[in-house]
Amino acid sequence: MIIGPITKKMLCLIVATAMCLCGLSGCKTPQDYKSEADKQAYNIIDEKWKAPYGVKANYKISDTAPSPNDILIEKAVPANGILTLPEAVALATAHNREYHLEKELLYTTALDLRLTRHEFETKYFVGASGNYYRSRGGTDEAIQGGVNLGFNRLLAQGAIVSTNVTAAWIDILTGDVRSGLTSILSTTVAQPLLRGSDRQIVQENLTQAERDMLYQVRLFNRFRKTFVVSIITEYCRILELADRVENAKENCHTLDWLCDRVEKLAGVGRVPKRELERIRQDALRALDIYIQAEKEYKQVLDDFKIMLGLPTTAEFRLDEKELKALSSAEMTYPDFSESQAIEIALLQRLDLVNSADAIIDAQRKIVVAADSLRGDLTLIGGSNLTHETDTDFTTLRRQKGTVDVGILLDLPVERMFEQNEYRKALITLSQRQREYEQTSDIVTLEVRQAYRDLTEGMRRYSLQSAALELAKKRLKDTYLLLRYGRASSRRVLRAQEDLFNAQNEAVDALTDYAIATLNFYYSTGVLQVRPDGMWEY
């Protein structure tokens, strides 16, 4: 038999077969599959997202429709060239590359869970075939076709059910062979009776996938808090550097002005010239400090642009009002003690909750590993029904049928691999318990450190603010004494240097206090990220 030229009847058969397959599959486009995957993945995420984790916002990947709470902000600098703190957090949340990776990890974990769930769903299959045959001499010509359909399903008790329906037909166009139809209905059931028969064992992969999804939702929300804290912290640090640049610039101007005044006094003999030279030297040193401070500020600002997802060529400055608002805000202690803060953290820290749940996972793995040490005993049943008829389908009748039942036994003679896995499972449980203890200790340590930083930050800022006021008064008084010849220029220089240092220490203490406050609520786990990307507690 060889394949002859394509005839009209053959073409009709191929087209009909293709249309049948297309109709059964629904003729979905790649976009349809993508939309279905998105719907399933986000349904799973919404299912696992609990209210205490925070508002469901800014968690959808970039090529899907955003939720109503998502931040939608253009990847651009504001027209006025001033980037406020809320705008910075919003920009970073919308465009930071690491944030996008975390969202994609959350999404792909949901896809993995959907695939694992599908293992326990009914899986259908449909296929068809069509062929045209013609002999070399052209005496025999036939068209052959077939349809194959059925389903497989894994049950929670470990049973595997498979059903298959096959129908094949042959239409003889020329020759003596008779046309006909053959159909076969077969069903197979395999039920484990020993190893792998327990519902918990069978569903272990599904159980772990469900828990992994929950863990990832928690980790994503923990990441959101970490991310917002890092953006706000960096914003405050840059404001501090900007203030240091201004202090250095003001210091240069003050020393230049003082140099002019002392030069006039030296011209009339009221101040030795060596003091004038000393002031000029200090003025040059102040200029060098200003240049270095400006360089550091620009470098850190460029790094911040990367965090925001902006190009480093973007030009903007941060809102100085944020620093003024911090300095004018009332400083208050938390309304709970250190021990209460630790207790809250041990209950609310999502990373600690994940670590605790990992112990439960390890305990289940021991049960699974112990089950694998047992023997295999599988009950297998099947049936086949076959029909063979002429092309007159009204005479269709069952020709023959078979039913078979059997048992497969595999005694646990060789279980080296399973033995090793069981021992490893016991060790893993001990590891998870130690990891939880260590995580708990680290959480306690972080809260204690954050509480001390907050307390120290408040006291330090009060002290530095008072020191700054004294430095200002001292410089003013020392300069008056210089004018009347009752103080040397060296005292004025020292007073100016102390003022410059006090200014820097004051702004450093202010930002340290603001960051310590943020870190304290973050460490205790009570900090919540709002839909706009900012935080509250």
Side-chain angles (χ1 to χ4, degrees), residues 6 11 29 92 116 118 152 187 197 234 242 259 261 275 310 398 431 433 435 445 451 509 516 532:
I6 298 177
L11 182 61
T29 65
T116 306
H118 185 61
N152 297 314
T187 302
S197 61
E234 195 66 17
C259 187
R261 301 293 297 180
E275 293 190 12
L310 294 174
R398 186 174 68 185
Q431 292 174 343
Q433 290 171 336
E435 288 172 0
L445 176 64
Y451 195 89
D532 61 0

Side-chain angles (χ1 to χ4, degrees), residues 391-411:
T391 49
D392 183 7
F393 299 121
T394 61
T395 65
L396 182 67
R397 65 187 182 281
R398 186 174 68 185
Q399 296 295 322
K400 58 182 178 179
T402 61
V403 177
D404 60 272
V405 178
I407 291 179
L408 291 178
L409 175 63
D410 179 18
L411 297 177

Side-chain angles (χ1 to χ4, degrees), residues 162-174:
S162 177
T163 299
N164 183 40
V165 178
T166 302
W169 69 89
I170 182 169
D171 189 1
I172 306 302
L173 303 181
T174 61

Side-chain angles (χ1 to χ4, degrees), residues 114 124 151 209 217 223 306 318 323 353 405 407 484 491 521:
R114 182 68 190 91
Y124 296 95
F151 70 86
V217 171
F223 168 79
I306 299 296
L318 306 187
L323 200 60
V353 175
V405 178
I407 291 179
Y484 292 106
R491 290 180 59 185
Y521 291 107

Side-chain angles (χ1 to χ4, degrees), residues 109-160:
T109 304
L111 289 183
D112 293 339
L113 172 56
R114 182 68 190 91
L115 181 61
T116 306
R117 286 179 176 179
H118 185 61
E119 293 296 320
F120 292 87
E121 297 174 343
T122 302
K123 295 183 281 295
Y124 296 95
F125 56 88
V126 179
S129 62
N131 296 285
Y132 168 76
Y133 294 95
R134 182 182 182 188
S135 65
R136 184 179 298 274
T139 57
D140 295 327
E141 188 177 9
I143 294 176
Q144 183 180 11
V147 175
N148 183 39
L149 57 91
F151 70 86
N152 297 314
R153 178 156 188 173
L154 172 64
L155 303 182
Q157 291 76 19
I160 300 176

Side-chain angles (χ1 to χ4, degrees), residues 148-366:
N148 183 39
L149 57 91
F151 70 86
N152 297 314
R153 178 156 188 173
L154 172 64
L155 303 182
Q157 291 76 19
I160 300 176
V161 180
S162 177
T163 299
N164 183 40
V165 178
T166 302
W169 69 89
I170 182 169
D171 189 1
I172 306 302
L173 303 181
T174 61
D176 298 332
V177 183
R178 298 180 60 191
S179 302
L181 170 74
T182 300
S183 63
I184 301 174
L185 170 63
S186 62
T187 302
T188 302
V189 178
Q191 173 64 62
L193 301 178
L194 292 178
R195 183 166 69 166
S197 61
D198 187 85
R199 186 185 187 94
Q200 176 184 348
I201 305 301
V202 176
Q203 293 187 310
E204 172 57 26
N205 289 338
L206 177 60
T207 301
Q208 190 61 59
E210 296 280 357
R211 292 174 70 84
D212 287 343
M213 184 67 236
L214 178 60
Y215 299 161
Q216 195 58 47
V217 171
R218 291 172 181 164
L219 289 175
F220 177 73
N221 280 277
R222 180 66 181 170
F223 168 79
R224 289 202 308 171
K225 297 177 182 181
T226 306
F227 181 77
V228 170
V229 168
S230 66
I231 296 298
I232 297 176
T233 298
E234 195 66 17
Y235 192 98
C236 292
R237 289 301 183 196
I238 296 174
L239 280 178
E240 177 187 345
L241 290 176
D243 191 77
R244 284 177 175 270
V245 171
E246 289 300 317
N247 291 340
K249 185 177 181 180
E250 181 181 349
N251 186 45
C252 288
H253 291 163
T254 300
L255 289 177
D256 288 341
W257 172 80
L258 183 60
C259 187
D260 292 338
R261 301 293 297 180
V262 172
E263 185 176 8
K264 294 178 181 178
L265 293 176
V268 297
R270 298 183 59 182
V271 174
K273 288 187 177 181
R274 63 177 180 274
E275 293 190 12
L276 175 61
E277 293 172 354
R278 181 182 180 83
I279 293 177
R280 287 174 176 170
Q281 185 178 5
D282 284 355
L284 293 175
R285 187 181 298 111
L287 180 59
D288 180 65
I289 293 174
Y290 168 68
I291 293 173
Q292 294 296 324
E294 190 174 37
K295 174 188 173 182
E296 182 181 3
Y297 166 74
K298 290 180 178 180
Q299 181 61 51
V300 175
L301 185 61
D302 280 349
D303 293 339
F304 190 56
K305 294 172 187 176
I306 299 296
M307 292 183 66
L308 301 180
L310 294 174
T312 55
T313 54
E315 295 295 334
F316 62 87
R317 56 190 177 89
L318 306 187
D319 191 1
E320 298 175 357
K321 294 179 182 178
E322 296 289 347
L323 200 60
K324 295 179 181 178
L326 286 176
S327 61
S328 61
E330 181 181 358
M331 291 185 294
T332 57
Y333 282 99
D335 54 359
F336 41 81
S337 65
E338 179 183 308
S339 59
Q340 290 174 324
I342 294 174
E343 183 179 355
I344 291 172
L346 294 177
L347 291 175
Q348 298 204 22
R349 282 280 293 265
L350 298 179
D351 51 344
L352 185 59
V353 175
N354 278 358
S355 182
D357 284 350
I359 297 177
I360 301 176
D361 292 342
Q363 291 171 340
R364 287 199 328 275
K365 294 295 189 294
I366 292 177

